[in-house]
């Protein structure tokens, strides 16, 4: 009976060795890195007009997003183990190969001794390791091609916790400008800006206000009013007179009327508009001698 169980015992013994095999450890990778964790605490928008005082006909609008951000900085240490996973069937050729390499290992050590160190010791050492690893039924040979990474350890240590105020231009964002029931959409440039003209020489560039309250709204869900400004009745009155004066000049242009219109615009605070009108009209009428002479004569009389 005892002899009958011997083959079964041997089979189970060999199977247990294969099942008990372990991964062959190649090396550990220990890395340290920095990580930042950001949490936005508060957000608001800053809208600025240039010039700040509402007296001219044209303005440059710039919009920035202001964020209060909690920034946590961590030092992260990660340890990974590089191993060759165990596969039992490979022992069918690794064990015989390891046994065959054992005499080679012995000979390489003898050769190292009698070469008085001329033969690098790494050679007999590598052959010996290869031989004993092969003869070990619970361990496969090292193989980088089928190696695996196993996470051994990860540690995070906080180094700092600060609150930062971050400003970023609201670039390429659609902004709606409203005045009473009138509205117009603008798109900001790379720096979060766009030009707003209450009155311009080109009607396509003009946003003439119908009411005293001008609202700037960022499109979205929900819509958010960034800021609003209140125009004085005096400003609106001057703006209407300026529009009427320019329309009257264009209906019947002359050198003297151009000069009178420019002076009217300057006296009412529309310096940029006055300059643009003068330059564009003088250039347009450059070949009209009578127009040019009348403009110069009016300028001399004004002096």
């Amino acid at each position: 009976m005892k002899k009958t169980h011997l083959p079964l015992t041997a089979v189970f013994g060999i199977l247990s060795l294969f099942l008990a095999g372990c991964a062959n450890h190649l090396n550990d990778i220990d890395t340290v890195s920095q990580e930042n964790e950001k949490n936005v605490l508060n957000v608001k928008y800053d809208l600025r007009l240039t010039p700040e005082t509402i007296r001219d006909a044209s303005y440059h609008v710039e919009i920035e997003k202001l964020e209060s951000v909690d920034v946590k900085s961590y030092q992260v240490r990660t340890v990974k183990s590089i191993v060759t996973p165990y596969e039992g069937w490979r022992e069918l050729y690794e064990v015989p190969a390891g046994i065959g390499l054992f005499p080679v290992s012995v000979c390489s050590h003898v050769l190292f001794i009698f070469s008085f160190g001329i033969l690098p010791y790494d050679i007999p050492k590598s052959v010996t390791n290869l031989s004993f690893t092969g003869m070990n039924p619970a361990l496969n040979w090292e193989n980088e091609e089928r190696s695996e990474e196993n996470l051994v350890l990860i540690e995070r240590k906080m180094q700092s916790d600060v609150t930062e105020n971050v400003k970023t231009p609201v670039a390429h964002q659609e902004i709606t400008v409203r005045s009473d029931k009138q509205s117009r959409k603008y798109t900001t440039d790379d720096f979060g800006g766009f030009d707003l003209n209450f009155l311009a020489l080109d009607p396509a560039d003009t946003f003439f206000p119908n009411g005293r309250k001008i609202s700037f709204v960022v499109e979205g869900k929900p819509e958010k009013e960034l800021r609003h400004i209140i125009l004085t009745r005096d400003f609106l009155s001057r703006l209407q007179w300026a529009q009427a004066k320019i329309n009257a000049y264009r209906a019947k242009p002359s050198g003297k009327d151009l000069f009178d219109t420019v002076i009217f615009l300057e006296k009412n605070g529309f310096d940029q508009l006055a300059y643009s009108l003068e330059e564009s009209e003088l250039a347009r009428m450059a070949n009209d001698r009578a127009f040019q002479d009348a403009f110069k004569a009016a300028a001399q009389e004004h002096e």
Side-chain angles (χ1 to χ4, degrees):
M1 292 294 293
K2 291 183 179 180
K3 291 182 180 180
T4 304
H5 291 294
L6 285 177
L8 291 175
T9 304
V11 170
F12 282 115
I14 294 172
L15 287 174
S16 64
L17 284 175
F18 286 161
L19 293 175
C22 59
N24 191 347
H25 179 263
L26 301 181
N27 63 289
D28 287 335
I29 300 177
D30 193 335
T31 58
V32 177
S33 61
Q34 299 293 324
E35 289 185 3
N36 290 328
E37 184 180 286
K38 296 183 179 181
N39 181 32
V40 178
L41 304 177
N42 191 21
V43 178
K44 70 176 184 177
Y45 292 87
D46 181 31
L47 186 148
R48 298 190 304 276
L49 294 177
T50 305
E52 294 182 358
T53 304
I54 305 297
R55 63 183 300 271
D56 213 330
S58 298
Y59 296 87
H60 183 68
V61 182
E62 287 188 354
I63 306 171
E64 287 183 327
K65 181 167 69 173
L66 309 179
E67 293 180 304
S68 178
V69 184
D70 179 39
V71 181
K72 292 182 173 67
S73 179
Y74 295 91
Q75 183 184 73
V76 182
R77 180 183 174 221
T78 304
V79 179
K80 294 181 180 179
S81 176
I82 310 299
V83 300
T84 300
Y86 182 77
E87 294 179 347
W89 66 269
R90 294 182 182 274
E91 297 302 324
L92 297 176
Y93 67 86
E94 287 186 1
V95 171
I99 295 172
L101 282 174
F102 183 72
V104 179
S105 172
V106 174
C107 291
S108 65
H109 280 278
V110 173
L111 183 60
F112 170 76
I113 293 172
F114 284 98
S115 68
F116 300 101
I118 295 176
L119 178 70
Y121 181 69
D122 286 345
I123 294 177
K125 180 182 177 182
S126 298
V127 175
T128 301
N129 289 340
L130 197 61
S131 173
F132 279 91
T133 302
M135 288 188 292
N136 187 345
L139 200 64
N140 285 154
W141 277 334
E142 295 181 1
N143 189 333
E144 292 186 358
E145 292 184 358
R146 64 185 189 92
S147 62
E148 295 179 351
E149 286 187 3
N150 295 324
L151 183 63
V152 177
L153 174 70
I154 183 167
E155 290 181 341
R156 299 178 83 233
K157 292 183 179 180
M158 184 184 293
Q159 292 185 311
S160 64
D161 185 0
V162 296
T163 299
E164 297 181 355
N165 294 319
V166 182
K167 290 184 178 182
T168 54
V170 181
H172 309 292
Q173 174 67 52
E174 197 171 74
I175 305 296
T176 298
V177 182
R178 293 175 180 167
S179 173
D180 198 11
K181 295 181 180 180
Q182 177 190 16
S183 66
R184 183 170 178 174
K185 292 183 179 180
Y186 296 85
T187 301
T188 58
D189 58 21
D190 292 339
F191 302 97
F194 65 92
D195 292 324
L196 174 64
N197 303 303
F198 291 133
L199 183 59
L201 299 182
D202 186 353
D205 295 332
T206 297
F207 178 77
F208 199 93
N210 289 337
R212 295 178 60 199
K213 182 178 179 181
I214 308 295
S215 299
F216 299 86
V217 178
V218 60
E219 294 295 327
K221 297 181 179 179
E223 294 183 341
K224 181 177 179 60
E225 183 180 89
L226 304 179
R227 179 183 171 184
H228 68 265
I229 57 176
I230 304 299
L231 305 179
T232 63
R233 293 191 179 277
D234 176 66
F235 177 81
L236 281 179
S237 177
R238 288 187 289 111
L239 202 61
Q240 289 169 348
W241 276 107
Q243 185 181 49
K245 193 73 173 175
I246 293 173
N247 290 339
Y249 161 75
R250 283 178 169 167
K252 192 177 180 181
S254 69
K256 184 178 184 308
D257 286 341
L258 173 61
F259 182 81
D260 291 343
T261 303
V262 168
I263 293 301
F264 177 85
L265 294 176
E266 289 178 345
K267 286 182 177 180
N268 283 275
F270 304 125
D271 297 339
Q272 182 62 45
L273 184 62
Y275 177 78
S276 298
L277 178 65
E278 178 180 332
E279 291 294 304
S280 64
E281 288 300 298
L282 288 177
R284 187 174 69 87
M285 307 295 287
N287 297 324
D288 189 329
R289 171 63 66 180
F291 184 95
Q292 299 287 335
D293 290 344
F295 181 85
K296 292 178 181 177
Q300 290 175 351
E301 288 178 7
H302 181 75
E303 292 176 357

